[in-house]
Each structure stands twice: as structure tokens, then as C-alpha cells.
Amino acid sequence: MLNIITYLDSSQDRELIQRAFEFGKNAHAGQKRLSGEPYITHCEAVAAKLTEWKLDAATVAAGFLHDVLEDTEITKERLEKEFGREIAFLVDGVTKLKKIQYRDTAMATTAATLMKMIFAMTEDIRVMLIKLADRWHNLTTLQFLPAERQHLTAVESIEIYAPIAERLGMGEQKGQIEDLAFPYAYPGEYRKLMRLVGKSYKKRTRYLLTIKPKLLRHLAEKNIRPLDLHMRVKHYFSLWQKLQRPEIEGDPERVHDLVAIRIIVPDVSGCYLTLGHIHQLWRPLPGKFSDFIALPKPNGYRSLHTKVFANRGQIVEIQIRTPQMHRQAELGIAAHWAYSEKGKPETVVASLQELQWVSKLREWKETIHDPEEFLESIKLELFRNRIFVLTPKGDVKELPREATPVDFAYKIHQDLGAHCGGAKVNGRIVPINYQLQTGQIVEIIPDKKRQPSLDWLTFVKTANARRHIRTILHH
Ligand code: MN
């Protein structure tokens, strides 16, 4: 609690955080986690994580409150009265996301759709960040859950939440989520990996520490003094995935970046200079150099990566970047909410261009120049023309906006469409021209006697439904 308070330099923010903490504590009073700890410890951990990402006070406050709508008597109205619209909106958003659950681990294609659906439901990216912090903490306490839920949560985390973190450019978070989930999702593989590489990590780290002084001395001679030089240890799950590649043949000795050297230098030209001097010291492996500064990854990742033959001919991966690139690589989109020294959100100018995937997904024709406008567009308009609804069995169906039960029925099968007698949405009967919304569970009531009529054409939204209706009408 204390460290959360002290990083906020406005007393107003501090007061808000304190109030959110007290409110959450009272709301969850008497509730316990499966670990036996008071429930509020979970909320504190989530808020602490959001603080670590240096998010704004409203988000941290929402972290303390993120479970009150779901698990206590508190209503959204009450929350809004106490904390204002923004915080109530964030908490409500997180609560809505909980309704989307991974039901069938066998359906590999669903993971992608589910991820899209989560994006579609997230109007404010901060909701997703709270969700990621929440998931991260739940994974750290997974040992207290019954085995079946451990497995489902772990697989869901790897299939859905880790890719979301990756899309948001949060590399470190992605790695942590995967590594926490790995032993529960794929226990056999995890044990096998530990047996295989347990010693390799230590061996590699020890070797790199022996070459570190020589590297630093060489750079110092060229007047390069890195701000930091540290060992980057590859996350287990990503190592496991790499070992499956045909050219690696499951041999950890062939994974050259098991432990890599990471060098932080003050500026971009320093990155290239450092690279040049390293290549003079140690011969680079042909074709193994990547310039992610000139050509950033789609999620905004920037760095120089090279592989060299170091002492005794050992292959070593070296990554070079500036502090800003490092922050972006660790925090991704969260880096843009970070507080400046004055306690106000930093302006986010280049961010949209950096996050190429955002602009791709948005299919936005116009570029945004105004940072204010970017903050507005935090309300993710991804897939704004699509909705995602569920079948009673939990399959996700993607439809255009304003699609109706008839469109949904035709999407499942043309016969079901043709005999669409009625529909239930979240268990309640609705007219067949009802406009569906993301997150709803839709059930079609078939009626053998029902036939498509001309007026169906006035409300259906999919070409597929329209085509089938026309065919029947023309007979
Ligand atoms: Mn929670």
C-alpha cells in the first residue's frame, strides 16, 4: 500500500487511492481467497501491478475496486456516486470481460475469435490492462484452485491473455503469464523441459559473466559506456516453443538466446556504434542480425539483435537498445500512460505510428495527428463494425453490427435461417428483427412452418441471409 501511495505525487491522487483501498476493503470484508488470505490482498496485488506499469491514478483505484461489482453488493450506480464515471466505467468494463470464458480447449480456432471478441468489448485499453494484472495475480495463486480450474485457467491464459499482452507490446508480461501458466497447462512438457535445461541456464549465465569484462573493456576503449548491461534469461514457455522448431531438434545447445546479453545505451546512434564495435571484437554470424530499430516489429518492439562468435567460439546473442526502447519493450502500450515527473500523463505523440497493429486492425483511413485525439481513441474502436455473440454452447459467432437473430440463424445453417421462428437473447424472447449486441447469448427457436417473407429483407444485415431469403422468395 505504502509504495503505491508514494509514487503518486499529487495529494489528490493519493487521497483517491487511499479511498479506493478503504472502499474495496470494506466491500470485500469477510471474503477470503482460496489461499485463505483476505480477498483485498488480491485487489492490492492488482493495484500494485498497475502501479508498477505506472498507470494513472484512476486505473490504480479501479484496480482496488475491480471485483466489487462481481463479488459484492455494490452497484455500478453506487460506485459512480463514490468515485465518478471514469472509475465506474473501468470497473464495469473488467466485470463484463469476465463473462467471456474459454469453454472448449479443443477448439483451437476459437482462441483467435475469442481474443477479437475481448478486444471488441474493450472500449478502453485500460480495462484490458486491469484484466491482465488480474489474470497475472490469479496465476501466481493458481496452486490453491481445484485441478480442473487450474488447467482451464492456465490454458486460457496461454491461448488468449498472453497473445493479448503480446499484441499490446507487453513482452515481459506475456512471458510472465506464459511461464506461470505453463506447469498447469502442460505439466508433462514442463517437467521434461526442466530436466532438459535446468543446468543449461546456469551454465550459459556463468559463461556470459566470464566474457562480460572483456566486452565492457572493449567498448570503454571506444568511448562507449553503457547505461546498463544485463543478462536476459529466456522465458521457459517461449524456450519450449523454440525447441519444437525443426532446425533446433529439441537441443537447448542450439538455442543461442537461452541467455542473451542486453546492452542499454543512451541514444539510437549509440546503438549502431555499439553494434559496430562488437562486430569488430567478435565475428557476427552471417544472416543473424536484425535491425528492429529501422524495421520495428508490428507491436512496436525496437532493438538491434545480433549473434556473434565470442570467446572459445561460443555463439552469443546480444541485444542493444535505448532506455526508451527498453521501456516500450517491457511495458508496451502501458508505457504511454506513464506519469511524467510533473504527475501528469505524458503526451502520446508517436504512439499510434509505433503500434502498427492498432492502425491495421482499426482499418482507419485517416491518420491521427493530435495527441488529444489519441487519448480519445483509447476507446478502442477495433472491429467497431463487427459484433461477437455466443451460441448457447459458447461458440463465438462474428456478425456485422446491427445483425439480427435471422442473420445469426443463417450463419449457423441455412435451414435454421429459413425456419427461424423466434429467438431468445440471454434467455429472454426477442423479436426476430432484434439488433444483437456483443457478448449476448443467442438461441434460435426453430419453427418448421415458418417461411422467410419479404419484410425479412428489410432488416437482415448479412449478404448470406439476404441471398438465401431471395432464393426462397423467387421460387
Ligand atoms: Mn480479480
Side-chain angles (χ1 to χ4, degrees), residues 77 82 120 135 181 232 270 376 429:
E77 290 67 35
E82 298 275 345
R135 177 49 59 106
R232 191 286 276 130
E376 271 295 298
I429 303 267

Side-chain angles (χ1 to χ4, degrees), residues 22-309:
E22 299 290 346
F23 190 92
K25 203 169 122 186
N26 289 333
H28 289 292
Q31 295 177 357
K32 286 215 160 44
R33 297 274 288 172
L34 286 175
S35 63
E37 288 183 293
Y39 199 89
I40 191 70
T41 55
H42 165 64
C43 312
E44 276 184 90
V46 170
K49 194 71 182 171
L50 297 166
T51 310
E52 198 183 303
W53 294 341
K54 299 203 175 0
L55 294 170
D56 60 311
T59 312
V60 178
F64 279 119
L65 301 166
H66 79 274
D67 276 328
V68 299
L69 294 183
E70 172 93 357
D71 299 331
T72 78
E73 300 293 300
I74 309 292
T75 62
K76 192 185 172 192
E77 290 67 35
R78 171 86 195 280
L79 212 53
E80 200 169 315
K81 229 178 100 202
E82 298 275 345
F83 292 98
R85 278 182 67 179
E86 187 185 11
I87 290 173
F89 169 81
L90 292 173
V91 175
D92 188 47
V94 179
T95 310
K96 278 187 188 148
L97 278 189
K98 278 187 206 151
K99 306 223 163 75
I100 308 177
Q101 269 182 13
Y102 200 54
R103 279 157 231 258
D104 189 352
T105 53
M107 289 190 295
T109 48
T110 324
T113 319
L114 224 52
M115 202 169 101
K116 277 203 238 171
M117 182 167 168
I118 289 171
F119 270 110
M121 284 185 73
T122 310
E123 286 180 70
D124 188 319
I125 265 286
R126 291 177 298 173
V127 169
M128 197 84 91
L129 298 174
I130 299 169
K131 181 70 201 173
L132 286 175
D134 177 49
R135 177 49 59 106
W136 163 83
H137 186 253
N138 285 335
L139 286 171
T140 63
T141 53
L142 211 53
Q143 69 267 34
F144 302 107
L145 257 60
E148 199 182 311
R149 274 185 60 204
Q150 284 178 337
H151 180 77
L152 201 62
T153 305
V155 172
E156 184 187 63
S157 300
I158 287 177
E159 301 268 322
I160 296 165
Y161 288 99
I164 286 176
E166 183 172 31
R167 296 287 182 101
L168 297 177
M170 305 173 77
E172 177 54 29
Q173 195 55 25
K174 170 195 178 265
Q176 282 189 23
I177 288 177
E178 284 176 343
D179 279 6
L180 287 165
F182 188 15
Y184 299 98
Y186 312 109
E189 286 82 351
Y190 178 77
R191 278 196 300 273
K192 223 169 120 188
L193 183 76
M194 289 304 115
R195 275 201 301 275
L196 190 66
V197 302
K199 283 183 193 139
S200 312
Y201 277 98
K202 275 191 197 136
K203 220 174 88 190
R204 287 296 286 172
T205 309
R206 228 180 297 130
Y207 168 73
L208 293 178
L209 287 173
T210 64
I211 64 168
K212 179 178 164 181
K214 182 171 179 184
L215 176 59
L216 281 175
R217 221 178 313 124
H218 176 75
L219 292 176
E221 277 165 21
K222 310 289 178 188
N223 271 323
I224 292 175
R225 282 172 188 81
L227 300 172
D228 186 26
L229 186 153
H230 61 264
M231 306 298 160
R232 191 286 276 130
V233 178
K234 197 172 187 66
H235 285 286
Y236 289 128
F237 188 72
S238 100
L239 171 62
W240 175 256
Q241 286 175 310
K242 197 157 189 175
L243 286 169
Q244 312 307 310
R245 290 195 202 163
E247 74 275 16
I248 305 280
E249 294 174 355
D251 179 3
E253 291 298 313
R254 294 189 188 202
V255 180
H256 306 306
D257 68 340
L258 186 67
V259 183
I261 292 181
R262 190 178 278 155
I263 303 176
I264 315 281
V265 294
D267 51 33
V268 173
S269 52
C271 292
Y272 289 101
L273 277 175
T274 306
L275 177 81
H277 292 309
I278 290 172
H279 283 178
Q280 281 174 14
L281 176 67
W282 291 316
R283 194 162 50 85
L285 252 76
K288 289 292 176 189
F289 162 65
S290 308
D291 185 345
F292 296 120
I293 295 179
L295 300 164
K297 288 190 186 177
N299 67 7
Y301 178 87
R302 293 185 303 157
S303 276
L304 299 177
H305 290 194
T306 186
K307 286 186 179 144
V308 296
F309 294 100

Side-chain angles (χ1 to χ4, degrees), residues 322-458:
T322 66
Q324 198 204 348
M325 291 174 201
H326 185 56
R327 224 163 75 94
Q328 167 82 35
E330 300 272 303
L331 292 178
I333 200 161
H336 301 297
W337 272 270
Y339 266 46
S340 72
E341 278 152 31
K342 285 178 199 120
K344 287 192 178 132
E346 274 175 16
T347 31
V348 273
V349 190
S351 49
L352 200 67
Q353 283 80 352
E354 279 168 33
L355 294 167
Q356 293 167 15
W357 70 271
V358 173
S359 32
K360 257 185 219 150
L361 287 176
R362 276 166 204 263
E363 296 171 351
W364 276 5
K365 302 279 182 285
E366 70 272 1
T367 330
I368 290 176
H369 302 288
D370 186 1
E372 286 280 303
E373 208 177 319
F374 177 76
L375 282 171
E376 271 295 298
S377 70
I378 289 163
K379 296 188 178 202
L380 262 195
E381 291 197 46
L382 301 176
F383 313 107
R384 62 180 153 168
N385 296 317
R386 311 297 291 173
I387 61 161
F388 299 85
V389 291
L390 300 155
T391 69
K393 281 185 187 158
D395 286 348
V396 178
K397 298 286 171 201
E398 185 176 345
L399 290 164
R401 245 177 81 152
E402 299 179 343
T404 63
V406 173
D407 293 292
F408 177 84
Y410 270 110
K411 178 114 186 167
I412 293 173
H413 195 274
Q414 69 178 82
D415 287 341
L416 189 62
H419 303 295
C420 177
K424 280 185 186 171
V425 165
N426 294 345
R428 280 176 34 206
I429 303 267
V430 296
I432 57 168
N433 64 350
Y434 174 86
Q435 292 186 354
L436 298 171
Q437 278 169 21
T438 288
Q440 291 176 330
I441 299 167
V442 187
E443 187 185 347
I444 300 300
I445 306 163
D447 179 355
K448 283 256 150 23
K449 283 172 246 147
R450 189 76 181 248
Q451 286 287 331
S453 60
L454 207 55
D455 75 297
W456 283 21
L457 289 173
T458 62

